[in-house]
């Protein structure tokens, strides 16, 4: 099923950022706004899911299950996509059930996802969990895998005039999306901003999704912009998000896209991205995650 089949999906677009720190280095920065796709399944998650759902349909599965934490955009996107396509859906959630469910889990549940909470210890052994339910179509945590990466290549196909860009930048969780971007890149340098602290396995995880030719393309992971680790933030990051909103009307999420935007600006100012570059930043969505911040933290 393509985006057009979803009546309530909006058209993504490219936003040009106007700023002194760009013009004074003769750099252009465009943001691919995947966040506008849909309020619930915004961003890269729907792209990563589409071929898994197709595969599950082709193999006559009626139920889909996947893994994630209490704030996982992937859990919510899976719940939504399964409802759309008529699959029963189970979310294996890391950790004990909280007295008050997160905003993400409340939404996933209301979309019909059955939530199964497992201890952090049990969660580590995903194969054992999958083994107990062989009649279910299992999607890896975060949509990691070959079909997820194939779906992510479709993101790049949406970009008008791709060849004008010298760089593509994107936040990384599992690396599935980055792998798809690398596979679909023509000549661009692809930079992934890891949102985890010192995730040393990331390079291998991404490389193992790429074929031999794509592995040799110009791509790298930057580990310097995690702000303390996955889903960690500080006042400087929140302040930066407010500024980005006021100056460019660009909403970001504190887990992924704010860190990617911050990194982009910093790399440019440090001249780690050279003058005259034409950069495409992928806004991977995920704005629903901001609902876990205290009310009133952000102006959008
Ligand atoms: C999940 C997510 C990512 C990371 O995607 P991966 O394919 O796991 O690397 C980036 N941005 C947002 C907003 C996400 O929700």
């Amino acid at each position: 099923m393509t985006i057009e089949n979803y009546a309530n999906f909006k058209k993504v677009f490219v936003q040009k950022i106007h700023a002194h720190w760009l013009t004074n280095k003769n750099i252009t920065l465009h943001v691919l706004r995947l966040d506008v796709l849909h309020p619930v399944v915004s961003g890269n998650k729907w792209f990563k899911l589409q071929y898994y759902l197709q595969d599950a349909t082709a193999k006559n599965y009626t139920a889909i299950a996947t893994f994630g934490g209490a704030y996982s955009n992937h859990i919510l996107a899976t719940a939504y996509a399964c409802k759309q396509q008529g699959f029963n859906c189970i979310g294996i959630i890391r950790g004990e059930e909280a007295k008050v469910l997160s905003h993400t889990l409340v939404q996933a549940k209301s979309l019909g996802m059955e939530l199964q909470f497992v201890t952090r210890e049990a969660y580590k052994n995903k194969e054992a969990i999958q083994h107990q339910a062989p009649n279910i179509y299992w999607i890896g945590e975060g949509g990691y895998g070959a079909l997820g990466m194939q779906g992510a290549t479709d993101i790049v196909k949406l970009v008008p005039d791709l060849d004008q860009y010298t760089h593509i930048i994107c936040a990384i969780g599992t690396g599935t999306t980055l792998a798809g971007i690398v596979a679909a890149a023509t000549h661009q340098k692809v930079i992934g901003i890891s949102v985890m602290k010192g995730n040393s396995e990331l390079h291998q995880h991404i490389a193992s999704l790429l074929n031999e030719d794509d592995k040799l393309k110009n791509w790298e992971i930057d580990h310097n912009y995690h702000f303390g680790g996955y889903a960690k933030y500080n006042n400087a990051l929140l302040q930066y998000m407010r500024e980005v909103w006021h100056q460019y009307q660009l909403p970001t999420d504190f887990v992924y896209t704010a860190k990617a935007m911050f990194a982009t600006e910093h790399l440019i100012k440090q001249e780690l991205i050279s003058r005259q570059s034409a950069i495409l930043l992928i806004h991977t969505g995920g704005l629903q995650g901001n609902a876990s911040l205290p009310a009133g933290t952000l102006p959008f």
Side-chain angles (χ1 to χ4, degrees), residues 3-290:
I3 292 177
E4 288 74 28
N5 293 111
Y6 285 89
N8 52 353
F9 270 32
K10 299 234 168 48
K11 209 170 156 43
V12 303
F13 62 91
V14 166
Q15 175 181 354
K16 181 170 188 198
I17 301 297
H18 297 275
H20 182 63
W21 48 271
L22 292 165
T23 45
N24 72 11
K25 298 214 160 38
N26 243 317
I27 289 176
T28 59
L29 173 60
H30 292 173
V31 181
L32 181 70
R33 296 284 305 271
L34 297 182
D35 58 304
V36 300
L37 199 62
H38 189 275
V40 179
V41 281
S42 86
N44 61 342
K45 294 299 182 284
W46 183 83
F47 290 90
K48 289 198 285 184
L49 283 169
Q50 55 178 333
Y51 294 118
Y52 289 117
L53 268 65
Q54 233 173 59
D55 190 40
T57 304
K59 293 175 177 161
N60 292 318
Y61 283 91
T62 56
I64 287 179
T66 191
F67 302 90
Y71 301 98
S72 165
N73 294 328
H74 167 70
I75 284 288
L76 184 53
T78 304
Y80 182 89
C82 285
K83 186 182 168 78
Q84 283 286 306
Q85 300 196 17
F87 285 103
N88 294 325
C89 170
I90 299 164
I92 308 294
I93 312 301
R94 182 183 57 235
E96 307 290 334
E97 180 166 5
K99 286 211 182 70
V100 181
L101 283 187
S102 69
H103 175 81
T104 308
L105 294 184
V106 169
Q107 278 198 73
K109 207 171 164 178
S110 73
L111 287 164
M113 178 181 261
E114 180 192 323
L115 304 177
Q116 291 182 7
F117 293 86
V118 301
T119 63
R120 282 166 193 276
E121 210 39 50
Y123 187 87
K124 283 184 194 148
N125 195 349
K126 298 190 182 58
E127 275 179 21
I129 296 172
Q130 294 187 28
H131 212 71
Q132 290 167 17
N135 296 325
I136 290 176
Y137 188 87
W138 287 92
I139 298 177
E141 183 179 36
Y144 178 82
L147 291 178
M149 111 123 194
Q150 191 192 328
T153 64
D154 289 348
I155 293 171
V156 183
K157 293 177 193 152
L158 293 173
V159 179
D161 196 9
L162 180 66
D163 279 341
Q164 70 180 295
Y165 299 105
T166 56
H167 295 71
I168 305 177
I169 302 179
C170 170
I172 310 183
T174 63
T176 314
T177 304
L178 193 88
I181 292 169
V182 171
T186 47
H187 57 81
Q188 296 78 13
K189 173 167 188 173
V190 179
I191 303 173
I193 309 300
S194 174
V195 302
M196 283 174 217
K197 191 172 178 176
N199 185 355
S200 56
E201 291 171 355
L202 202 48
H203 195 275
Q204 180 49 40
H205 286 169
I206 294 171
S208 70
L209 293 175
L210 295 171
N211 68 30
E212 293 309 314
D213 288 339
D214 289 338
K215 257 181 228 169
L216 299 173
K217 284 180 171 174
N218 191 0
W219 61 279
E220 66 182 34
I221 304 168
D222 194 320
H223 293 276
N224 296 317
Y225 299 99
H226 56 74
F227 283 80
Y230 184 72
K232 298 275 197 301
Y233 61 94
N234 58 20
N235 281 329
L237 186 68
L238 296 178
Q239 190 50 33
Y240 181 72
M241 291 168 75
R242 294 181 194 110
E243 278 167 31
V244 165
W245 169 251
H246 288 307
Q247 288 176 19
Y248 321 118
Q249 287 70 57
L250 181 66
T252 52
D253 79 295
F254 72 96
V255 182
Y256 296 100
T257 53
K259 294 177 184 180
M261 179 68 184
F262 183 96
T264 302
E265 181 171 341
H266 195 253
L267 290 170
I268 291 169
K269 287 182 170 169
Q270 301 295 309
E271 302 210 0
L272 292 166
I273 292 178
S274 56
R275 286 166 183 268
Q276 325 278 338
S277 293
I279 304 166
L280 179 70
L281 173 66
I282 312 282
H283 190 314
T284 36
L287 296 176
Q288 69 88 23
N290 287 341

